Amino acid sequence: GIQVEQSPPDLILQEGANSTLRCNFSDSVNNLQWFHQNPWGQLINLFYIPSGTKQNGRLSATTVATERYSLLYISSSQTTDSGVYFCAVVSGSNYKLTFGKGTLLTVNP
Amino acid sequence: DTEVTQTPKHLVMGMTNKKSLKCEQHMGHRAMYWYKQKAKKPPELMFVYSYEKLSINESVPSRFSPECPNSSLLNLHLHALQPEDSALYLCASSQGETANTEAFFGQGTRLTVV
């Protein structure tokens, strides 16, 4: 099956700093999503981005499908940005969303 | 509305109990999913229902029994679970006509087996 690798595994920032999270995948994808999992376990949709670039406030994402990677940018980070960020992909015609291991982000005040 | 609702939020059950987890969505989605997430791990797929038919079973033990009574509801029946089955159980849904659609997750049921 498809392999999804996220980096870095852990990231500690001071409030106000910017960061870039990376997701590499081993095969072509039909679907790529970025999620933020809050401390209560809720997976919050950030971006649905199988290709191209999108922005939503302080967050933006870029997927370069031909080179099999996606980037999530967080600018002017806030303590509420803390949590685990997951990249998840679908490859082929099945509905299986395969997750990377996540990046644990800690934003300190 | 992009809401997937799961009940209960927390569940403690003994190894001889029978319980059910419920999931509901009113977005008209035709694909629904159960995922299991252990602490500090990513979610792992258990089952996929597409148009109310089971389309993927990721070799899940028979003590977990899914059911899709209609296009808005998904249940997971639990029987004779083991302590290692304690985890966060997440339900998701997507539009379902193709695999190229966005999935939305519920807030999860945190299950503890004692």
Side-chain angles (χ1 to χ4, degrees):
Chain A
I2 192 167
Q3 304 299 312
V4 183
E5 292 184 2
Q6 291 187 242
S7 60
D10 299 277
L11 184 58
I12 300 174
L13 301 175
Q14 286 299 121
E15 205 167 21
N18 303 328
S19 60
T20 301
L21 281 57
R22 187 175 181 104
C23 172
N24 292 334
F25 41 94
S26 61
D27 204 347
S28 60
V29 298
N30 299 316
N31 176 351
L32 188 146
Q33 292 186 240
W34 283 98
F35 296 93
H36 175 211
Q37 188 164 42
N38 65 24
W40 298 272
Q42 172 94 50
L43 279 169
I44 298 164
N45 288 39
L46 298 178
F47 294 101
Y48 169 69
I49 187 165
S51 64
T53 297
K54 291 186 177 180
Q55 179 156 8
N56 184 3
R58 296 182 295 104
L59 273 59
S60 63
T62 295
T63 297
V64 184
T66 53
E67 297 186 23
R68 299 183 183 170
Y69 73 88
S70 183
L71 302 173
L72 177 68
Y73 306 95
I74 304 174
S75 64
S76 304
S77 57
Q78 301 176 356
T79 55
T80 51
D81 295 332
S82 297
V84 181
Y85 289 79
F86 286 108
C87 167
V89 303
V90 173
S91 182
S93 59
N94 66 69
Y95 292 94
K96 181 175 180 177
L97 201 61
T98 300
F99 284 76
K101 292 184 177 180
T103 292
L104 175 59
L105 175 64
T106 303
V107 181
N108 292 320
Chain B
D1 182 11
T2 56
E3 189 168 339
V4 177
T5 303
Q6 290 186 242
T7 55
K9 289 186 173 54
H10 300 274
L11 179 62
V12 179
M13 62 184 290
M15 290 187 283
T16 58
N17 291 158
K18 286 185 182 181
K19 296 286 185 184
S20 296
L21 309 185
K22 296 192 173 185
C23 175
E24 190 168 5
Q25 56 88 15
H26 295 288
M27 295 178 277
H29 289 175
R30 301 311 299 269
M32 296 187 76
Y33 314 75
W34 282 113
Y35 281 81
K36 175 182 178 179
Q37 186 178 21
K38 300 283 279 183
K40 300 189 185 302
K41 298 287 188 184
E44 293 182 340
L45 182 67
M46 300 174 72
F47 303 104
V48 179
Y49 273 82
S50 175
Y51 290 83
E52 300 157 50
K53 289 186 172 22
L54 183 65
S55 64
I56 297 177
N57 176 343
E58 291 285 286
S59 302
V60 178
S62 60
R63 57 186 185 268
F64 295 91
S65 176
E67 178 196 20
C68 189
N70 62 56
S71 59
S72 300
L73 292 174
L74 185 67
N75 299 322
L76 186 63
H77 303 298
L78 313 173
H79 173 54
L81 294 193
Q82 302 298 309
E84 58 264 29
D85 296 320
S86 299
L88 180 67
Y89 288 84
L90 293 161
C91 173
S93 71
S94 66
Q95 195 162 12
E97 280 84 9
T98 70
N100 311 355
T101 56
E102 187 175 5
F104 296 88
F105 283 78
Q107 78 275 34
T109 294
R110 203 165 292 276
L111 174 68
T112 303
V113 181
V114 297

